[in-house]
Amino acid sequence: MKRRDALKVIGGTFAGLTVADRLGGYFTKPAYAEEKPAFHKDILSAPGGKRVVIIGGGFSGVSFANTLRELAPDAEIILLEKNPFFVSGPSHIDYSVGMKKLEDAVRSYYPLREKGVKVIKTEVGGILPEDNKVMTSKGNITYNYLLVSTGIRLADEEILQLSEHPAYNAHSWELEGTIELRRRVESFKGGKVVVSVPSAPFKCPPGPYETACLLDEFFKKKGVSAEVVVADANDKPQPPPLAQKWLTVFEKKGIKYMPNNKVVEVDGANNQLVTDKGEKIKYDLVTLIPPNKASTLIKESGLGDPFADVDPTTFKSKKFGNIFGTGDCAKTPYTKSAYTAFYEGKNAAHYAAIGMGYSVKEPVPIHNICYPYASSTESLLIRVDWEKDGKMLKATADDPKTDYRDSRAAWESTLLKSLFGA
Amino acid sequence: MNKLLTLFTVLIIFLLTCSRAIADNQNSIEYEKKVFVEREKVAFVEITSDKPIDIFIMYTPQYNSYCKSGSTEGAFDVKSITWYIYPIPAMFDDQTVFFIAKDGARFNITYENVKDRIDRLFKGEALLRSGASAFFKKGIDSIRLTQNLPELQIEIEASEDIPIMALKVMDYMALTRGLKSFEEIYNNTVLKGKKSLSFRAPDFDDLYIVVKSEKGVNIKYKTWANREAANSGC
């Protein structure tokens, strides 16, 4: 991407955001007033050679920062994160039905600061790989190495009326939606509950089906009459190898499953979803997960289209030797889950340290473990192991069990302890 | 001599009848097909029919409900097909899938080892992933291609010389809701062709194969997985 094009993109990306208000009028000046807007000034001094910038403080970004801190003690590590706190994504589903308090899922970035990782709260508008610069709402930052771990983007614009009327929907794939969903679930008086699933791939593939199961259980326990329906854009529940297990769970619970129903419109005024075939699905409570896409930052920076094109072993960009990509924004054969994102960050840190000249052993290949809820007391099990080059080595799954429900709680708390120490 | 000729003729007729019987047995019309896939295998179920038919694909819970009530609700259905390939991966667990063809169809099932298939993909082989041949009614008609992967090879061929395009969802909605005409979208879209269209999927997005014909047309499509697509997850 050329610098001039990038500047145009950045202008578009930041314009209209709350960031503009915080920057105190930079955006009110006419474009010709300055050669470059003031926020394109460097906000940090030139790097010394071991400056590593991380875009995104999710599971893989924080895991990368912690691991690199251990492997490269004298590296300057800077984490750029737009949110003030870390909120554990897997807990969103628990919170939406009252199984967990939100404060249990929230962590401060202070433990990273104590380890000498500089954490800057800022939006990132673009990357200039040829100049080794990240363009943030607070100014430019020059790097020697860069990790892109921006996660996924929810494409509301692919559901008609949703961008204009976001309040028509509430879902657990983002924090604000989760809080609103909880409120709606608590005040629901009965009727038809529709869980709408986008076409694969999407973050946390079992998530929508877990949501349907937990909502069904919640309303039954509360004595609220609810017909739970899963309207799925896919031909079967995801991930495909769990299809039969999910359908068996739905049959036992009386959850209605509707495959091949791709929702393209939420008509909140008439309480109905509209599919691509023009069919209408009435609802009294809806939780619609919009299509999951990569951040436009990836494509605009030339790192890949739409996901960052990286080597599945090292997570190094195939185009730029000093850039790495991990987690949901990277094009890899691994599942888009919190657990794999954590290990991707860890492994990428090893290869970044090797690249910086540290003597570091190669890490073990990626694996995934997940315990999707079939109810508040039982979880399924999935485990997948991959070879170093991303080829799937083995996979196992098991029916819902109480033991796996306990394992799920330990699974998430262990991940959070590894990231934040508590 | 005559006796010998008669005997020879009878023998030929007998052999021909037998071979046809064997062929008929292999390609007999079936109305329900239960497909069991052992763990670590993937089954490719190939369905053929001389006339366009509808197929309902069900897992055991949906099939049990169908047996009780005759309802196909909750089943995945494909309409007006004459040829269809449906993969059933059993990576974690044995899988049982039922196919209901109310007008009857011929089934041919090929089993492969999931790991072998992944190895072949990583070695650079292109492998058939899905495919269908369906009758598209006259005027504008479409089918959704879903669970795409970046670099997945997609080949579409029509039986007539008609315009074909592959659209993303918002362009498709603009067409179906009458906001834009077929011609307007066709002129401005990238993935288009006459009679045939071959391209690599740009990303994971669903694509709608849309055609316009005067009398109706047969459309055949195939998708091929390759090493690049495997790197995005299959």
Side-chain angles (χ1 to χ4, degrees):
Chain A
M1 180 180 211
K2 288 187 177 140
R3 188 182 181 86
R4 187 177 299 167
D5 296 335
L7 290 174
K8 279 185 204 162
V9 169
I10 307 309
T13 306
F14 288 139
L17 299 179
T18 51
V19 168
D21 302 329
R22 284 187 231 134
L23 291 171
Y26 287 132
F27 293 89
T28 59
K29 289 180 185 175
Y32 54 80
E34 292 177 349
E35 192 183 339
K36 291 184 212 167
F39 67 83
H40 289 133
K41 286 177 182 167
D42 283 355
I43 55 167
L44 297 174
S45 56
K50 288 183 180 175
R51 178 181 288 169
V52 185
V53 173
I54 302 163
I55 307 176
F59 278 96
S60 69
V62 176
S63 168
F64 180 93
N66 280 326
T67 310
L68 191 65
R69 178 74 300 154
E70 288 170 19
L71 301 175
D74 58 339
E76 182 191 6
I77 305 170
I78 300 167
L79 173 67
L80 310 178
E81 168 56 42
K82 63 183 175 185
N83 295 308
F85 297 98
F86 176 96
V87 184
S88 180
S91 287
H92 287 186
I93 291 172
D94 305 55
Y95 177 78
S96 67
V97 291
M99 283 164 55
K100 196 176 264 185
K101 290 176 185 167
L102 206 51
E103 54 262 39
D104 295 336
V106 177
R107 297 289 184 278
S108 160
Y109 287 105
Y110 270 110
L112 277 94
R113 288 197 173 98
E114 285 169 5
K115 292 177 188 173
V117 175
K118 188 176 283 181
V119 182
I120 301 176
K121 181 178 172 293
T122 185
E123 301 257 1
V124 171
I127 304 163
L128 294 171
E130 287 88 359
D131 295 346
N132 292 340
K133 276 187 194 297
V134 174
M135 309 174 87
T136 82
S137 54
K138 291 182 175 162
N140 287 353
I141 297 173
T142 305
Y143 59 80
N144 301 114
Y145 295 88
L146 177 69
L147 174 75
V148 182
S149 53
T150 51
I152 52 107
R153 180 180 71 83
L154 294 165
D156 286 358
E157 74 278 6
E158 291 201 355
I159 305 292
L160 296 171
Q161 298 203 42
L162 191 54
S163 294
E164 300 88 332
H165 302 285
Y168 281 171
N169 184 34
H171 62 79
S172 302
W173 265 243
E174 57 194 1
L175 180 59
E176 299 86 342
T178 306
I179 294 166
E180 177 59 16
L181 179 60
R182 170 75 179 272
R183 194 190 63 74
R184 292 182 189 187
V185 166
E186 288 288 354
S187 60
F188 186 62
K189 301 287 182 230
K192 191 171 174 180
V193 181
V194 179
V195 179
S196 170
V197 188
S199 296
F202 51 86
K203 184 166 82 166
C204 190
Y209 314 104
E210 295 181 85
T211 302
C213 291
L214 293 177
L215 286 174
D216 179 74
E217 184 186 3
F218 178 87
F219 293 129
K220 278 178 182 154
K221 276 184 184 170
K222 206 177 168 188
V224 173
S225 173
E227 181 200 5
V228 178
V229 173
V230 177
D232 199 333
N234 302 288
D235 64 346
K236 51 184 167 288
Q238 303 297 300
L242 281 188
Q244 192 150 309
K245 291 196 188 299
W246 279 127
L247 289 168
T248 305
V249 170
F250 294 163
E251 188 190 28
K252 280 183 189 162
K253 290 175 181 288
I255 293 172
K256 187 177 169 185
Y257 182 70
M258 296 169 62
N260 205 19
N261 274 274
K262 183 181 171 76
V263 170
V264 292
E265 181 175 7
V266 55
D267 177 7
N270 295 300
N271 279 17
Q272 62 187 14
L273 301 174
V274 185
T275 71
D276 58 351
K277 290 176 273 189
E279 287 162 5
K280 296 177 172 70
I281 305 168
K282 284 276 183 189
Y283 64 79
D284 297 291
L285 175 68
V286 69
T287 179
L288 180 156
I289 298 119
N292 287 201
K293 298 283 180 77
S295 161
T296 50
L297 179 80
I298 308 287
K299 184 182 175 183
E300 286 158 359
S301 307
L303 294 175
D305 181 10
F307 292 91
D309 207 1
V310 298
D311 180 277
T313 306
T314 63
F315 300 94
K316 193 180 279 188
S317 164
K318 289 183 179 172
K319 293 183 181 168
F320 305 99
N322 61 342
I323 299 182
F324 295 79
T326 54
D328 297 342
C329 74
K331 185 176 134 185
T332 66
Y334 312 119
T335 312
K336 293 194 180 308
S337 78
Y339 193 89
T340 52
F342 173 87
Y343 279 97
E344 287 177 30
K346 214 173 175 55
N347 284 15
H350 279 74
Y351 289 104
I354 291 168
M356 293 165 77
Y358 295 94
S359 177
V360 170
K361 279 184 188 170
E362 285 197 0
V364 295
I366 301 295
H367 70 285
N368 184 37
I369 300 174
C370 183
Y371 301 96
Y373 285 124
S375 71
S376 63
T377 54
E378 286 186 323
S379 287
L380 296 154
L381 162 75
I382 312 169
R383 180 179 173 128
V384 184
D385 290 80
W386 288 272
E387 290 180 28
K388 190 179 158 184
D389 62 357
K391 257 192 292 184
M392 199 181 72
L393 187 64
K394 59 181 179 181
T396 49
D398 202 5
D399 293 325
K401 287 190 172 60
T402 311
D403 286 354
Y404 297 146
R405 166 65 182 87
D406 299 337
S407 302
R408 180 189 174 108
W411 169 88
E412 192 177 358
S413 65
T414 304
L415 280 178
L416 292 176
K417 267 183 195 160
S418 304
L419 293 176
F420 299 98
Chain B
M1 186 65 188
N2 277 349
K3 272 187 179 174
L4 200 62
L5 190 66
T6 308
L7 192 65
F8 181 71
T9 309
V10 168
L11 183 68
I12 293 293
I13 291 168
F14 174 76
L15 288 174
L16 280 173
T17 310
C18 283
S19 65
R20 191 175 297 156
I22 291 165
D24 284 350
N25 191 36
Q26 282 174 343
N27 293 296
S28 58
I29 300 290
E30 293 180 75
Y31 294 83
E32 283 191 26
K33 186 79 179 174
K34 179 182 178 182
V35 180
F36 174 76
V37 193
E38 205 181 327
R39 188 172 178 262
E40 295 184 356
K41 295 257 168 86
V42 54
F44 286 88
V45 182
E46 184 179 20
I47 303 161
T48 49
S49 170
D50 297 331
K51 58 177 183 177
I53 54 161
D54 299 341
I55 296 278
F56 299 89
I57 302 168
M58 307 171 182
Y59 283 83
T60 308
Q62 295 157 327
Y63 180 72
N64 290 342
S65 163
Y66 169 74
C67 290
K68 275 184 210 159
S69 66
S71 166
T72 54
E73 193 178 71
F76 173 59
D77 58 337
V78 277
K79 304 275 187 186
S80 298
I81 56 125
T82 51
W83 176 74
Y84 192 64
I85 293 265
Y86 189 80
I88 309 169
M91 281 182 287
F92 298 149
D93 221 349
D94 296 345
Q95 301 276 310
T96 305
V97 179
F98 298 85
F99 294 78
I100 310 295
K102 290 194 171 170
D103 294 317
R106 288 180 292 273
F107 290 85
N108 181 38
I109 302 156
T110 312
Y111 293 92
E112 288 188 51
N113 184 290
V114 172
K115 268 194 77 183
D116 289 349
R117 199 171 157 88
I118 292 171
D119 284 345
R120 285 163 65 194
L121 279 174
F122 273 79
K123 279 177 188 162
E125 212 175 314
L127 299 173
L128 185 65
R129 185 173 184 251
S130 65
S133 181
F135 181 74
F136 281 46
K137 63 181 184 297
K138 72 174 182 180
I140 298 169
D141 203 358
S142 63
I143 193 167
R144 181 167 62 109
L145 281 187
T146 188
Q147 299 217 354
N148 294 320
L149 296 162
E151 303 297 331
L152 192 72
Q153 181 70 34
I154 299 174
E155 294 168 359
I156 308 162
E157 201 171 327
S159 58
E160 310 289 330
D161 189 13
I162 47 118
I164 306 167
M165 54 186 177
L167 300 179
K168 291 204 176 184
V169 65
M170 283 299 117
D171 281 336
Y172 178 71
M173 294 315 297
L175 176 72
T176 55
R177 297 198 171 197
L179 303 174
K180 288 181 183 173
S181 69
F182 182 92
E183 289 71 23
E184 197 179 352
I185 294 176
Y186 186 84
N187 289 338
N188 292 302
T189 202
V190 181
L191 303 175
K192 62 183 171 185
K194 284 274 173 72
K195 198 171 189 314
S196 67
L197 174 60
S198 180
F199 61 94
R200 286 201 166 198
D203 48 39
F204 293 95
D205 288 0
D206 288 350
L207 291 169
Y208 293 82
I209 301 173
V210 185
V211 302
K212 189 176 182 180
S213 67
E214 286 181 6
K215 296 176 186 168
V217 63
N218 276 307
I219 298 289
K220 188 169 192 172
Y221 75 81
K222 288 178 182 173
T223 71
W224 299 85
N226 47 40
R227 189 191 167 105
E228 293 78 21
N231 274 329
S232 304
C234 276

